[in-house]
Amino acid sequence: MRGSGRIGGIEGFQEGEIRRQASARLTVSTPGQGFTDITASVADFLRRSGIGQGLLALFCRHTSASLTIQENADPDVQSDLMTALDGLAPRLPGGGYIHSAEGPDDMPAHIRTLLTDSGLTIPVLDGRLVLGTWQGIYLIEHRDRPHRRDIVLHVAGA
């Protein structure tokens, strides 16, 4: 039978009460369509919060930009992901979408946000984001022209 992986035991179990929380807003100026690595800024926010273990939430306050966790080692991954999004939500000649008041790139941008996400949640242990070796946090700009995007950060823990 395919897909019958083996599940290991729970390791590193910790528990405690939430004693602190912090929040802030991060503004990202994008050059237009593409990925912007915000990992260092998010890690700086976490460091400033003083929280050693807990949960970090990020929320993008826009419907034509999104957040993702993706590989941070090979930029070809980002190019291939943009190509995939172009195939899933193409910019149609002459519009093609009913919603086109903000330009031909707007409705595809909304679809791309639907396919990705406006929010992320990341565990925090030992004062660090629990990301994999090759993972980074990215804002994806889905519009063609530059924009200023607001991301709300909130961390709760101890």
Side-chain angles (χ1 to χ4, degrees):
M1 174 191 278
R2 294 181 59 133
S4 296
R6 194 165 25 182
I7 300 171
I10 295 173
E11 300 175 16
F13 182 83
Q14 299 178 27
E15 55 111 4
E17 58 186 53
I18 293 176
R19 292 180 292 206
R20 297 182 67 142
Q21 63 179 331
S23 60
R25 188 182 73 211
L26 176 64
T27 301
V28 179
S29 295
T30 67
Q33 188 176 181
F35 286 72
T36 300
D37 187 345
I38 61 170
T39 311
S41 296
V42 174
D44 182 51
F45 161 75
L46 178 59
R47 181 191 55 74
R48 291 176 60 187
S49 77
I51 292 176
Q53 63 184 52
L55 201 57
L56 173 77
L58 295 84
F59 178 72
C60 180
R61 299 181 63 221
H62 305 277
T63 59
S64 57
S66 58
L67 298 169
T68 191
I69 295 174
Q70 269 302 328
E71 179 175 326
N72 63 1
D74 184 354
D76 288 345
V77 170
Q78 296 167 18
S79 296
D80 289 342
L81 289 170
M82 291 305 292
T83 299
L85 287 172
D86 286 342
L88 294 168
R91 286 165 172 74
L92 300 175
Y97 296 104
I98 295 170
H99 173 74
S100 61
E102 296 178 55
D105 67 332
D106 189 45
M107 192 59 218
H110 292 306
I111 295 168
R112 292 164 192 228
T113 298
L114 175 76
L115 294 171
T116 51
D117 210 341
S118 58
L120 298 173
T121 306
I122 303 169
V124 174
L125 289 175
D126 299 323
R128 298 173 53 109
L129 299 165
V130 183
L131 293 172
T133 302
W134 308 113
Q135 289 182 321
I137 305 167
Y138 293 89
L139 170 75
I140 312 172
E141 177 60 66
H142 299 299
R143 299 295 303 268
D144 292 336
R145 62 181 170 75
H147 281 79
R148 287 177 46 93
R149 302 301 193 172
D150 288 330
I151 301 168
V152 177
L153 309 170
H154 185 86
V155 64

